[in-house]
Amino acid sequence: MKRLLAAAVGSLVAMCLSAPSQAALTIQITHANDQAIPIAVTPFQGQASLPQPVSQIVAADLRNSGALAPLSESSLLPAPVVGSAVDYGVWQQLKARYLVIGRAEAVAGGYRLQYELHDVATHERWLSEAVTVADTQAQLRQGAHYIADRVFERITGTKGAFRTKLAYVTAQGLGNNQHFGLYISDQDGYGPQEVLTSSEPILSPSWSPDGRKLAYVSFEDKRPAIYVQELATGRRLKLASFVGINGAPSWSPDGRSLAMALSKDGTPDIYLMDLATRNLKRLTQDRAINTEPDFSPDGKSLIYTSDKGGQPQLYRMDLATGSAQRMTFTNRYNAGGHYSPDGRNIYLVTRSNQGFQVARQDVASGRLSVMTNTVWDEAPAVAPNGTIVVYATQKGARGELNAVSADGRASFAIPSAEGNVREPAWSPFLD
């Protein structure tokens, strides 16, 4: 129940985003997918003169997908020239199923990146493209992420999400000396930017469907309030600061409404706020604690956590009728549910014999499968292509982010150089 209440409740605005190094994240593979497809990503010709190694960024993206396994760069032969004939037999001997080759060069006002994707087994060139990006390191990396997106989609049939972003909260210090920060970074942890800093807690960041705003809970006035902040300008609005709990904001798929947990009328209930009028509609009304709403992808229903049956479980409400039904029955604690982008699965935190772990429940069958081997997990967030789930967990005295592939075959640690990291939220597609 303590975890449920914490989720329910869950300064200075950076008018321009800054990038302190202590918030940087790195991705470390803790368990590789033994069925990942081997791919060779050769060093791009000319990249040595550029500020970022394009081929290494592409390879890291593909590796971190859990679906592809780039060969070690040290094992690769000299790269073929872009546009020339490829000796597929050589790459077959290296057991590469696919091959990426490329060229990178500085041009007026930016960088030009040319790449090719080859199917080694069928001796076919699948992709050949050139892209030009602006002359900043961030844009050069975005160009590399674009290449990884294209390669990933061509091989797997699933849209790549390497140009998306993560939002997360950091906490440093102890007791009255704690300092909290809300950050966004590229999905690989590069380029952290400070959105908000405060001496009071920050909770529950939630991306707007267009990726331009964040909703979150801030305690800067010594009590929780829900804000929405524009990322480009820093402008923000205080949407809910009622007496009691103001927490767990969640955007509707059309961006017109925000679901939230409020206790202004008693125990926490789920409300729906029309963002144009600020009108509130109460969706739940009972003596239970109702919190953590999340919309279905079609916007016709939402799931939420409630202890109306005596223990925290997930319920689904039809927004047209207001009827609700219980969704989870395995284990006595299931909370913090988020739909997969296709609506077929719900990712949540369940309490198993090992502890609090991230699990996946099939919506149609109700089957629940534990996905992690950590024991104090919370706040799962799903990539917009549904391939990766990032979540917060505890490692000793430190809070850090971890991730697991949606099929459970690969897992990752995403530690920060300093401080605790919590409350991850994955952006929508930004292209």
Side-chain angles (χ1 to χ4, degrees), residues 158-170:
T158 299
K159 184 176 181 178
F162 304 118
R163 286 176 290 161
T164 57
K165 293 184 178 293
L166 291 177
Y168 53 93
V169 174
T170 64

Side-chain angles (χ1 to χ4, degrees), residues 208-420:
S208 63
D210 61 7
R212 297 178 180 179
K213 301 175 184 178
L214 279 177
Y216 55 84
V217 177
S218 173
F219 281 72
E220 63 199 63
D221 294 328
K222 307 301 181 182
R223 66 178 189 179
I226 296 174
Y227 292 83
V228 168
Q229 182 164 337
E230 295 178 356
L231 295 175
T233 66
R235 178 176 176 268
R236 67 174 186 163
L237 297 173
K238 183 189 289 187
L239 292 182
S241 57
F242 301 102
V243 174
I245 291 170
N246 301 272
S250 178
W251 295 83
S252 63
D254 62 9
R256 297 178 180 177
S257 303
L258 202 66
M260 58 189 68
L262 305 175
S263 66
K264 66 185 188 69
D265 297 312
T267 55
D269 274 306
I270 306 299
Y271 290 76
L272 191 64
M273 177 181 285
D274 182 299
L275 294 177
T277 64
R278 305 283 186 91
N279 290 336
L280 281 171
K281 179 180 180 181
R282 190 174 184 176
L283 299 182
T284 62
Q285 189 168 353
D286 51 45
R287 296 182 179 180
I289 294 176
N290 301 300
T291 186
E292 299 175 328
D294 185 68
F295 284 89
S296 61
D298 63 9
K300 295 180 179 180
S301 63
L302 58 74
I303 54 174
Y304 61 97
T305 306
S306 177
D307 66 349
K308 66 176 68 179
Q311 296 289 334
Q313 298 292 341
L314 295 188
Y315 291 77
R316 174 186 174 275
M317 175 177 286
D318 185 303
L319 293 176
T321 65
S323 63
Q325 61 180 5
R326 182 170 166 178
M327 297 290 288
T328 52
F329 295 90
T330 304
N331 298 330
R332 298 184 65 189
Y333 179 104
N334 294 286
H338 288 275
Y339 275 103
S340 62
D342 61 10
R344 296 178 180 177
N345 294 289
I346 296 172
Y347 296 97
L348 54 97
V349 174
T350 190
R351 186 172 189 177
S352 67
N353 292 333
Q354 285 71 44
F356 294 95
Q357 297 177 290
V358 173
R360 177 184 65 247
Q361 178 162 308
D362 181 274
V363 172
S365 68
R367 181 182 178 184
L368 186 142
S369 304
V370 172
M371 303 175 66
T372 63
N373 56 16
T374 42
V375 296
W376 197 252
D377 304 342
E378 60 186 29
V382 191
N385 64 358
T387 61
I388 299 289
V389 180
V390 65
Y391 61 97
T393 193
Q394 196 77 15
K395 293 292 182 69
R398 290 174 61 88
E400 70 175 36
L401 302 186
N402 277 202
V404 60
S405 60
D407 59 13
R409 293 175 177 171
S411 57
F412 316 86
I414 315 177
S416 174
E418 297 180 25
N420 295 290

Side-chain angles (χ1 to χ4, degrees), residues 44-95:
F44 281 25
Q45 294 175 325
Q47 72 176 16
S49 63
L50 303 187
Q52 294 279 339
V54 176
S55 64
Q56 292 180 24
I57 299 168
V58 173
D61 281 346
L62 300 178
R63 180 182 302 110
N64 294 340
S65 74
L68 298 168
L71 304 184
S72 170
E73 190 173 284
S74 63
S75 69
L76 301 181
L77 301 171
V81 177
V82 172
S84 66
V86 172
D87 187 346
Y88 293 106
V90 170
W91 297 101
Q92 285 177 321
Q93 290 179 6
L94 291 176
K95 301 187 183 306

